[in-house]
Amino acid sequence: MASIATYHVEDPMAPLAMKELSAPQHGSPATGEAIRLAARSGAYTTPTSGIAATYVQANLIVLPNRYASDFRLLCKRNPVPCPLLAESRTVGSWEQLTSNIPGVGGERLANDLDLRRDIPRYMVYQDGTQVRSHCADVCKDWSEDHSAFLIGCSFSFEAALADAGLVPAHMAYNRNVPMYATTIPLCSAGVFKQSTYVVSMRFYRRKDVERVRDITRPYVATHGEPLDWDWCALERLGIQDLDKPEYGDSPVGSDGLPVRRSAQSFSNDGDDLVPVFWGCGVTPQQAVMQSGLKGTVIGHAPGHMLVLDLRDWDILAS
Amino acid sequence: MASIATYHVEDPMAPLAMKELSAPQHGSPATGEAIRLAARSGAYTTPTSGIAATYVQANLIVLPNRYASDFRLLCKRNPVPCPLLAESRTVGSWEQLTSNIPGVGGERLANDLDLRRDIPRYMVYQDGTQVRSHCADVCKDWSEDHSAFLIGCSFSFEAALADAGLVPAHMAYNRNVPMYATTIPLCSAGVFKQSTYVVSMRFYRRKDVERVRDITRPYVATHGEPLDWDWCALERLGIQDLDKPEYGDSPVGSDGLPVRRSAQSFSNDGDDLVPVFWGCGVTPQQAVMQSGLKGTVIGHAPGHMLVLDLRDWDILAS
């Protein structure tokens, strides 16, 4: 399906020291609440990968309430791209949440919350078409008929990867994670039909893939382990050009430069960098467009997440 | 991807009277327990579509216990093809189950159970390769290290479809349901990797598809609503030839003859027959082969299900 370009690996990914993580390059504050307040005031406007380490991050989708039931079913049928963390406690609420995480109450997710302003950048859709991009707030778009849903984000396991010496390159270079539209069909649910997965990608050495799988596996609430990996995955996922992600920044290797696929990449040489793909919470926004949903829909700008009070260990599967 | 043959619709599907359902063509007894005992004695050996109406039917997969944890995760990540109903209460048990259905105890699933003999026909795999097909029992293959898992089966909502005058053609003609290997990737889980969905197919008039979706939607424990439909789905699912299913019998229309795709099938004419696809519980057996699992694995023969004591209404989502 995909005609795959020839890549060459420039360099293996160099290990990055943990101190780079404890001194975030955004000059960001340390807690989820601090990031939310900074976004609310307009002081924080950039992607959230690598900030407030160990604080759980979330994708946002805000739908006319008549679609709420179908959306819950979409999440149940497609839990890898759409792990549902929480939703508005009552229709129209932008400050109180009902949690979908076993043993975690909604109030523990985020104290002092304004879903209309606490995300660095937003997207707005009208009748299935994007009408605004990367706007600072959505106060005027939000109505009393809107229901908000929070979906787990893979940024939430990046601290665990970094702890193991497996720092994602986009994090090290202060870039947004690359995200791709795929041809993997979502299982239809009511009005959500004939739409497809979005995935995020991180490069790893082939010999490290099993360790990366093991580390991210328990994070079922934030996409869990990779859904596919290695160069042969590009055809299975229908990704035409790895250098041109539909969302986020283009991918880089450990030197900050594009990664080229080499002839050796087809061998079992463990030093080769290979792409590793996870489910991505931009999927609901793509599904809204593909399903042509009527009315006003709001989402976060890809990579610009809601940072919660919840910590990574609160959502780990036992 | 798929080069699709040209089909012509021979005839619209004629409505079938309910009395055909209450007089099963297999001459089968009426309850789940009766079917299990008949299979155990060797008296019942054929597919189970349309028998013991309203009794829930289940797929079987029996794995070396070291794969049990990964298999539970595979089901959680892919609940549409792999809705987990129950598993062995203890490792090695073929007579007692722990239920995965909210509010339903394991003892309610099946009184007097022998998973080694109560299914009409079985399949056996060794190191990821099928070594026996359609055997009568698996008493000699079952070890104390095996864990059994029951997966929901779409036969369980066929009575509801028939009640609404939407009798599946394979049921009316006493045939096995057609099942297809697809290119849809399962989300990987531990040892289960780079494997793909199996789907079942039933023809319906295009104008009836939304009603078929509505009727099957609440059956989340038995694959729920269709994952895709219409002729354009063949390319999305990677199905090359609808007349050559990988499992079960080739599909027929209301006259018992093959359905040919017509030029009109591309129009919005509601009278055209279109294929409708559901997740299928043969998926785990295909995943065992695709993942090359070591050791002895047991499954049911496709279409030859375990019939439970549980009734359709016990598993309906609220």
Side-chain angles (χ1 to χ4, degrees):
Chain A
M1 177 189 317
S3 100
I4 300 160
T6 301
Y7 291 89
H8 170 70
V9 177
E10 302 274 17
D11 258 318
M13 188 183 294
L16 294 165
M18 271 306 293
K19 62 182 174 158
E20 294 183 48
L21 282 179
S22 50
Q25 292 134 348
H26 298 280
S28 65
T31 71
E33 184 168 3
I35 301 288
R36 293 198 303 279
L37 293 176
R40 194 183 301 175
S41 72
Y44 192 95
T45 61
T46 52
T48 52
S49 170
I51 61 149
T54 78
Y55 285 86
V56 172
Q57 304 201 14
N59 300 270
L60 176 75
I61 187 94
V62 186
L63 302 165
N65 188 56
R66 63 185 176 280
Y67 301 131
S69 165
D70 285 353
F71 185 72
R72 287 183 203 107
L73 186 60
L74 184 77
C75 294
K76 277 190 185 153
R77 284 165 67 83
N78 302 279
V80 171
C82 306
L84 184 59
L85 295 182
E87 63 180 271
S88 296
R89 183 165 296 177
T90 54
V91 180
S93 175
W94 38 262
E95 54 187 349
Q96 291 201 310
L97 299 171
T98 297
S99 166
N100 196 42
I101 308 165
V104 174
E107 70 291 347
R108 273 188 59 202
L109 267 69
N111 179 45
D112 191 356
L113 175 69
D114 185 342
L115 286 173
R116 308 166 306 171
R117 300 187 289 163
D118 288 0
I119 287 179
R121 293 292 182 207
Y122 293 84
M123 312 292 274
V124 182
Y125 303 87
Q126 190 66 41
D127 298 339
T129 302
Q130 183 193 298
V131 290
R132 288 166 63 206
S133 177
H134 291 77
C135 43
D137 72 75
V138 288
C139 292
K140 289 184 181 167
D141 307 280
W142 196 293
S143 81
E144 290 189 355
D145 181 49
H146 272 122
S147 283
F149 296 89
L150 300 185
I151 303 291
C153 170
S154 59
F155 290 171
S156 308
F157 55 59
E158 290 186 333
L161 286 168
D163 265 345
L166 297 162
V167 182
H170 72 91
M171 195 174 171
Y173 286 95
N174 196 15
R175 295 168 69 86
N176 201 348
V177 69
M179 294 162 270
Y180 302 86
T182 73
T183 54
I184 308 176
L186 283 171
C187 291
S188 295
V191 296
F192 298 94
K193 46 192 179 184
Q194 295 165 357
S195 45
T196 50
Y197 280 47
V198 176
V199 296
S200 67
M201 193 282 288
R202 293 156 186 83
F203 278 117
Y204 282 104
R205 290 185 183 129
R206 186 176 281 122
K207 69 177 180 186
D208 289 331
V209 168
E210 285 303 315
R211 208 150 57 93
V212 166
R213 296 183 70 207
D214 289 344
I215 290 167
T216 57
R217 184 167 300 129
Y219 290 89
V220 293
T222 63
H223 306 297
E225 67 181 273
L227 52 87
D228 209 343
W229 56 90
D230 219 325
W231 295 101
C232 52
L234 269 62
E235 186 168 353
R236 288 191 292 270
L237 305 186
I239 295 173
Q240 305 278 339
D241 186 346
L242 208 58
D243 282 334
K244 292 180 182 163
E246 276 74 19
Y247 311 97
D249 291 328
S250 61
V252 294
S254 58
D255 53 3
L257 297 173
V259 172
R260 300 285 158 214
R261 182 180 188 168
S262 70
Q264 305 95 285
S265 293
F266 291 100
S267 76
N268 285 320
D269 183 341
D271 275 345
D272 281 344
L273 282 186
V274 297
V276 182
F277 298 96
W278 281 264
C280 176
V282 175
T283 301
Q285 293 186 49
Q286 186 172 277
V288 160
M289 289 188 283
Q290 290 172 325
S291 304
L293 244 60
K294 297 297 176 194
T296 303
V297 171
I298 298 163
H300 66 290
H304 301 66
M305 317 309 293
L306 181 71
V307 189
L308 301 174
D309 296 344
L310 215 58
R311 311 298 287 272
D312 290 355
W313 44 87
D314 294 324
I315 56 164
L316 274 179
S318 56
Chain B
M1 176 191 321
S3 100
I4 300 158
T6 301
Y7 292 89
H8 169 70
V9 177
E10 302 274 17
D11 259 316
M13 186 183 296
L16 295 166
M18 271 306 293
K19 63 182 172 155
E20 294 185 47
L21 281 179
S22 51
Q25 291 133 348
H26 299 279
S28 64
T31 71
E33 185 168 3
I35 300 289
R36 293 198 303 279
L37 293 175
R40 194 183 303 175
S41 73
Y44 192 95
T45 60
T46 51
T48 52
S49 170
I51 61 150
T54 78
Y55 285 85
V56 172
Q57 303 201 14
N59 301 270
L60 176 74
I61 186 94
V62 186
L63 302 166
N65 188 55
R66 63 186 177 277
Y67 300 131
S69 164
D70 285 352
F71 185 72
R72 288 184 203 108
L73 186 60
L74 183 78
C75 295
K76 278 191 186 154
R77 284 166 66 85
N78 301 280
V80 170
C82 307
L84 184 59
L85 295 182
E87 62 180 272
S88 297
R89 185 166 295 177
T90 54
V91 180
S93 175
W94 39 262
E95 55 185 350
Q96 290 201 310
L97 298 170
T98 297
S99 167
N100 196 43
I101 307 165
V104 174
E107 69 290 347
R108 274 189 59 203
L109 268 69
N111 179 46
D112 191 354
L113 175 69
D114 184 342
L115 286 173
R116 307 166 307 172
R117 300 188 288 164
D118 288 0
I119 287 179
R121 292 292 182 206
Y122 293 85
M123 311 293 274
V124 182
Y125 304 87
Q126 190 66 41
D127 298 340
T129 302
Q130 183 193 299
V131 290
R132 288 165 64 205
S133 177
H134 292 76
C135 43
D137 72 74
V138 288
C139 293
K140 288 183 181 168
D141 307 280
W142 196 292
S143 81
E144 290 189 356
D145 181 48
H146 272 123
S147 283
F149 297 89
L150 299 185
I151 302 291
C153 170
S154 58
F155 290 171
S156 308
F157 55 59
E158 289 186 335
L161 286 168
D163 265 345
L166 297 163
V167 182
H170 72 91
M171 194 174 171
Y173 287 94
N174 196 16
R175 295 168 68 86
N176 201 347
V177 70
M179 294 162 270
Y180 302 86
T182 73
T183 54
I184 309 176
L186 284 171
C187 291
S188 296
V191 296
F192 298 94
K193 47 192 177 184
Q194 294 165 357
S195 45
T196 50
Y197 280 46
V198 176
V199 296
S200 68
M201 193 282 288
R202 293 156 185 82
F203 277 117
Y204 281 104
R205 289 185 184 127
R206 185 176 280 120
K207 68 176 180 188
D208 289 330
V209 168
E210 284 303 314
R211 207 149 59 92
V212 166
R213 295 184 71 207
D214 289 345
I215 290 168
T216 56
R217 184 166 299 130
Y219 290 88
V220 293
T222 63
H223 306 297
E225 68 181 272
L227 52 86
D228 209 343
W229 56 90
D230 219 325
W231 295 100
C232 53
L234 270 63
E235 186 169 352
R236 289 192 291 269
L237 306 186
I239 294 173
Q240 305 278 340
D241 185 347
L242 208 59
D243 282 334
K244 293 181 181 164
E246 275 74 18
Y247 310 97
D249 291 330
S250 61
V252 294
S254 58
D255 52 4
L257 297 172
V259 172
R260 301 286 158 213
R261 182 181 187 168
S262 70
Q264 305 95 283
S265 292
F266 293 99
S267 77
N268 285 321
D269 183 341
D271 275 346
D272 281 344
L273 282 186
V274 297
V276 182
F277 298 96
W278 280 265
C280 176
V282 175
T283 301
Q285 292 187 50
Q286 186 172 278
V288 160
M289 289 188 282
Q290 290 172 325
S291 304
L293 244 59
K294 297 298 175 193
T296 303
V297 171
I298 298 163
H300 66 288
H304 302 65
M305 318 308 292
L306 180 72
V307 190
L308 301 174
D309 296 345
L310 216 58
R311 311 300 285 272
D312 289 356
W313 43 89
D314 294 324
I315 56 163
L316 274 178
S318 58

